[in-house]
Amino acid sequence: KKHKIFLKMMTSVVWKRGSRCAINRVIPLRPGRLNTCAVRNCTTTTPTQAHITQTPETTTRSSATISTLDATTPEATSTSATVTSSTTTSSETSRPVRICIVGAGPAGYYTAAALLQKNKNVQIDILEALPTPFGLVRSGVAPDHQDVKSVQTRFTEISLNPSVRYFGNVHVGRDIAVGELRRLYTIIVFATGAAGNRKLTIPGSGLEGVHYARDFVAWYNCEPGAKRGYDLKGSTAAIIGNGNVAIDIARILARRIEDLDQTDISSETLEILRESNIKDIHVIGRRGPVQASFSTAELRELQRMPNVNVIVADSPSLSESDAGELKERVNLRKYDLVKKIATAQPDPTKKNIILHFLKSPVQFDGDDSKLNSLVVEQNVLVGGPHAQRAIPDEGKEFLRINCDVVFLSIGYKGKKIPGVPFDSRSGIIPNDHGIILDGENPLPGLYTAGWIKRGPSGIIGSNVFDAQETVDTIMSHWDQLVNKEGEEEKTGDIVSLLKKRDVRYVDWNGWLEIKREEEERGEKRGKIAEKFVDIREMVRVSNKDSV
Amino acid sequence: QFRETKMFMTRVFSRTPRYNQYARQFGVSHPMRHGAPKEVDENAPRYTVNWLLKDGSKVVTKDVEGVHLLEIAHKNGIDLEGACEASLACSTCHVIVADEDYYDMLPEPEDEENDMLDLAFGLTNTSRLGCQIILTKEIDGITVKIPQATRNMAVDGFVPKPH
């Protein structure tokens, strides 16, 4: 017997007398994991409002920017227990359902794709804070990984769908409030990614020469507003972290200039890299090789670089619980590659990328406020398979590693959107399979997808499934959201609001102008593109032909 | 306008070879690259692929030898993403071969494909990347399933332990 949760616009959850329902409780797991846990069955025999009713007090916090909706009495509507989710039930002659997606990265685009697959009568507006679309595909994926960027073709296809409009240079929270979006759109999906950093604050982390990986990546990828000023004249770099971003940085620092100078890497970065003296790059991971977050593919790429030795600092050892984790093929293949790398003979003429495991930085030391070394403690893993933690190994000494520049690559972190619930500890929007929760209450019409929903883990492709899950949740609520009796129709268009407010938004043709210009500039320098770093310049170029 | 843009994007964004260019010199089979459609002989025999889609429905396709399954999916409007356009830089075209017999008939995956499969959602013992399964007479009648996210499974593969 099927059972569904019925959402009412007063955000109370009601179900019929005698029906069973399954509520997925949201239990926050550690950051980086999808924020759902087991399904708990509960029965209720009362037809009254469920115990999760939004009280007026809790409404005020988020309703400041969420417009209050018509009061409806919490009677069970007479609709059937099952909801057809394969196709919409709104008639073709009715107005298209207005949907807003905040964020034009992979999560935003795959959400749009999944919505378009299920619905013909929709209008999807994608809002993006930068003038340019594609999120981390443009500003995160490294310039020597152009084939990973070819997903932009797919995203372009979605943008060109007549039901989709793109609005770049529109910052939700600054140019338009969430409350205003609620008046314009029936459904809003926040897919804003993870715009911030997980911080490491240990003694010396303020020294000159200590940087965040994310800032360095943003800089070499020409992200507007990226921090500049990296001194690579020293001989040794250290990267704290064991993810793909850490490997990206190691690789870019080690890459031959001739393998970079035709890409769309920042020209400023190219000049700094040309003058770089870095020969040794330490990549330092808190846990063991089996737990390292980097992909085997990325490690294999390092191994195959013609001008690089990959060295494993200590002979790789396994904990008891590692054996359990090695039953998973992804871990086994990764560990086998590390073992293989550990046996290779280094060539003294090449640059060195040195992999350290079971080490955590405890302080950075310097001379005259400039970094010259870092101190690490050695760790041991405790706990069962898939639940191992790194703790300091009291029996082992601290080690000093001389270095001239450090990149902290310990994770990205989401940022709060004004007017939307946020868990600042984990950096995600509390949600239940994609519907946003205020405390325990689902907020009707508000959804989330991507890293801001599940934490900053996974690859571009992970968002295909993440978006699918969110859209499945949206479809299960479709009838309640779309065929509301008494709900005022969404009138008005975001275009008039943005124009009135003098927001110089960039539409899809504007983006194509920017792209064309970047490629022309690139051609002059033998590069596939010379990206803009200045938003005002982008906007100016995008409006070239407009009145 | 879309076609122009699509070709334009492909030209620009596939221009720079990735590290894979070095790796492939050592491989036996060459990964398929996104390119212009090959000349098709009208009389060439066509072989069957059975698809089990995400929504549970079934589709049967017929195509000539030499095309890869991602291409076949897109030609037939089957919902299978191919983010990196068959360049072995993603795992979005992951399919599950329904029969172990058919799986065993396929040539062994290269390191590069296995590296991408490692990251695929819902990986099984008979998983392959669709862009690396080349249709041949030998695998006529193969059935492949497109993985679907289930409610109890996190998108990064984490399965919560039952209480």
Side-chain angles (χ1 to χ4, degrees):
Chain A
K1 186 175 172 179
K2 272 199 173 179
H3 36 263
K4 297 285 178 187
I5 298 174
F6 292 95
L7 289 182
K8 306 293 290 173
M9 294 313 249
M10 286 301 283
T11 72
S12 60
V13 178
V14 183
W15 52 93
K16 287 163 119 172
R17 180 190 284 275
S19 68
R20 283 167 163 276
C21 76
I23 300 177
N24 291 329
R25 290 280 179 221
V26 172
I27 297 164
L29 303 176
R30 62 182 198 278
R33 290 295 190 193
L34 185 66
N35 205 31
T36 60
C37 197
V39 166
R40 217 198 301 165
N41 284 320
C42 71
T43 53
T44 177
T45 53
T46 62
T48 53
Q49 291 181 20
H51 50 283
I52 29 175
T53 306
Q54 187 165 332
T55 61
E57 292 78 62
T58 53
T59 317
T60 49
R61 178 164 47 88
S62 45
S63 75
T65 47
I66 295 176
S67 55
T68 42
L69 303 151
D70 291 357
T72 51
T73 51
E75 294 158 358
T77 50
S78 58
T79 49
S80 64
T82 59
V83 173
T84 50
S85 54
S86 52
T87 52
T88 51
T89 51
S90 63
S91 79
E92 291 305 311
T93 54
S94 64
R95 296 157 60 92
V97 176
R98 289 147 170 262
I99 302 175
C100 178
I101 296 177
V102 183
Y109 273 108
Y110 284 128
T111 300
L115 284 164
L116 289 167
Q117 217 239 348
K118 299 223 150 93
N119 303 285
K120 295 295 166 246
N121 197 25
V122 291
Q123 182 180 284
I124 299 177
D125 288 347
I126 303 179
L127 308 185
E128 165 58 46
L130 289 174
T132 53
F134 310 139
L136 285 176
V137 176
R138 175 177 163 97
S139 64
V141 175
D144 56 349
H145 284 177
Q146 292 297 324
D147 46 3
V148 174
K149 291 185 192 258
S150 52
V151 69
Q152 285 167 119
T153 309
R154 175 72 174 119
F155 297 162
T156 298
E157 184 188 341
I158 295 163
S159 302
L160 292 172
N161 186 304
S163 302
V164 176
R165 299 191 301 181
Y166 172 77
F167 294 91
N169 201 32
V170 176
H171 198 297
V172 171
R174 185 193 68 195
D175 300 320
I176 185 168
V178 170
E180 295 174 306
L181 290 181
R182 299 222 66 187
R183 282 193 278 277
L184 291 169
Y185 299 99
T186 306
I187 292 167
I188 305 170
V189 184
F190 294 95
T192 49
N197 283 315
R198 270 185 79 207
K199 299 277 189 214
L200 181 74
T201 41
I202 56 175
S205 46
L207 284 169
E208 198 186 310
V210 179
H211 307 281
Y212 278 96
R214 199 235 171 78
D215 296 340
F216 188 67
V217 171
W219 175 62
Y220 68 56
N221 274 331
C222 299
E223 193 181 295
K227 263 178 90 182
R228 300 162 66 203
Y230 302 91
D231 180 356
L232 304 179
K233 297 258 176 59
S235 64
T236 311
I239 303 166
I240 310 296
N242 255 4
N244 285 331
V245 177
I247 301 293
D248 269 353
I249 295 186
R251 192 182 69 250
I252 295 289
L253 288 174
R255 266 259 185 253
R256 300 176 306 192
I257 294 295
E258 70 237 46
D259 294 331
L260 290 174
D261 61 5
Q262 291 178 18
T263 69
D264 56 3
I265 195 171
S266 148
S267 288
E268 188 179 271
T269 308
L270 259 183
E271 290 322 300
I272 302 287
L273 286 174
R274 252 187 248 275
E275 293 166 20
S276 159
N277 294 315
I278 291 179
K279 188 174 187 301
D280 292 327
I281 302 158
H282 299 271
V283 179
I284 299 169
R286 179 172 52 95
R287 297 179 295 174
V290 180
Q291 295 76 35
S293 303
F294 54 68
S295 310
T296 310
E298 303 297 328
L299 183 59
R300 201 183 302 282
E301 183 176 3
L302 290 187
Q303 186 200 28
R304 288 178 172 162
M305 285 174 77
N307 63 321
V308 165
N309 302 309
V310 185
I311 297 166
V312 184
D314 318 296
S315 38
S317 63
L318 291 177
S319 66
E320 262 185 56
S321 300
D322 279 340
E325 293 178 25
L326 284 176
K327 295 202 178 105
E328 280 179 36
R329 92 173 227 163
V330 57
N331 297 331
L332 181 62
R333 294 186 75 246
K334 190 181 305 181
Y335 183 69
D336 279 348
L337 184 57
V338 171
K339 261 196 315 187
K340 187 160 167 222
I341 285 171
T343 61
Q345 284 302 317
D347 176 338
T349 63
K350 296 184 180 181
K351 293 185 181 171
N352 300 310
I353 295 180
I354 307 126
L355 304 179
H356 298 258
F357 298 105
L358 296 171
K359 291 177 180 140
S360 292
V362 291
Q363 71 183 54
F364 301 107
D365 286 326
D367 197 356
D368 235 354
S369 84
K370 196 178 183 317
L371 170 82
N372 62 19
S373 65
L374 86 109
V375 179
V376 296
E377 66 188 354
Q378 302 189 60
N379 298 329
V380 64
L381 291 173
V382 295
H386 302 291
Q388 295 191 80
R389 280 166 29 246
I391 61 169
D393 186 343
E394 306 292 346
K396 290 219 173 115
E397 55 189 353
F398 285 12
L399 302 170
R400 183 177 295 278
I401 301 176
N402 291 328
C403 55
D404 307 290
V405 66
V406 160
F407 297 96
L408 304 173
S409 187
I410 56 172
Y412 288 21
K413 194 170 175 188
K415 281 192 175 166
K416 176 171 169 58
I417 305 161
V420 179
F422 184 68
D423 176 353
S424 52
R425 193 186 52 86
S426 57
I428 63 165
I429 297 176
N431 69 92
D432 178 5
H433 291 101
I435 183 160
I436 296 180
L437 300 173
D438 186 7
E440 292 209 333
N441 309 315
L443 296 179
L446 294 190
Y447 300 87
T448 179
W451 279 6
I452 197 69
K453 166 190 170 197
R454 71 178 194 275
S457 71
I459 53 177
I460 294 170
S462 310
N463 295 294
V464 174
F465 297 96
D466 184 305
Q468 191 64 58
E469 182 189 66
T470 295
V471 171
D472 284 348
T473 303
I474 292 173
M475 294 318 297
S476 73
H477 303 149
W478 191 265
D479 279 356
Q480 285 74 54
L481 290 169
V482 172
N483 298 328
K484 284 294 307 150
E485 282 182 22
E487 192 213 48
E488 47 184 283
E489 278 199 27
K490 303 290 177 191
T491 53
D493 192 338
I494 195 174
V495 172
S496 47
L497 190 150
L498 293 174
K499 285 201 163 132
K500 208 163 42 164
R501 213 164 274 182
D502 226 0
V503 174
R504 298 188 66 196
Y505 63 88
V506 173
D507 63 11
W508 195 253
N509 286 328
W511 150 239
L512 291 178
E513 278 302 319
I514 295 171
K515 189 166 101 57
R516 225 182 306 266
E517 189 78 18
E518 286 180 345
E519 283 157 12
E520 267 177 40
R521 296 177 352 145
E523 221 173 305
K524 294 189 187 126
R525 304 167 90 139
K527 295 166 76 187
I528 58 172
E530 183 66 37
K531 284 153 102 172
F532 289 107
V533 297
D534 188 71
I535 289 187
R536 284 164 309 179
E537 232 186 314
M538 286 182 193
V539 172
R540 187 184 50 79
V541 163
S542 73
N543 288 335
K544 230 176 7 187
D545 296 329
S546 69
V547 181
Chain B
Q1 186 193 356
F2 155 62
R3 227 176 100 86
E4 233 172 77
T5 311
K6 188 175 160 82
M7 281 164 57
F8 189 42
M9 300 280 296
T10 309
R11 181 164 56 84
V12 171
F13 292 103
S14 306
R15 211 185 298 172
T16 307
R18 196 195 181 195
Y19 80 95
N20 271 333
Q21 183 196 45
Y22 301 109
R24 282 170 197 152
Q25 291 166 10
F26 305 103
V28 174
S29 66
H30 293 282
M32 306 306 276
R33 286 207 148 265
H34 182 76
K38 303 187 255 295
E39 293 288 312
V40 175
D41 175 8
E42 286 301 316
N43 297 319
R46 285 170 182 261
Y47 303 110
T48 302
V49 179
N50 302 300
W51 300 83
L52 301 172
L53 306 192
K54 287 182 196 177
D55 59 8
S57 62
K58 291 187 184 182
V59 172
V60 181
T61 64
K62 286 195 190 298
D63 216 311
V64 296
E65 204 163 51
V67 245
H68 61 72
L69 259 53
L70 177 62
E71 248 182 281
I72 296 174
H74 287 176
K75 276 156 81 171
N76 289 277
I78 289 170
D79 183 21
L80 183 65
E81 288 291 337
C84 75
E85 305 192 321
S87 62
L88 279 180
C90 79
S91 59
T92 56
C93 68
H94 166 222
V95 295
I96 300 165
V97 180
D99 283 302
E100 219 172 300
D101 295 334
Y102 275 104
Y103 177 78
D104 289 337
M105 270 192 264
L106 299 169
E108 283 283 309
E110 300 284 324
D111 273 341
E112 287 81 4
E113 184 183 346
N114 272 324
D115 286 347
M116 291 301 123
L117 280 171
D118 280 353
L119 310 172
F121 178 80
L123 189 69
T124 67
N125 290 334
T126 57
S127 284
R128 291 298 299 262
L129 294 184
C131 68
Q132 301 302 302
I133 300 179
I134 313 229
L135 187 58
T136 60
K137 186 169 164 200
E138 284 70 43
I139 60 166
D140 184 17
I142 189 172
T143 300
V144 293
K145 179 167 139 71
I146 299 179
Q148 151 78 316
T150 63
R151 277 222 134 192
N152 286 331
M153 208 172 173
V155 297
D156 58 2
F158 174 71
V159 180
K161 310 224 177 336
H163 293 352

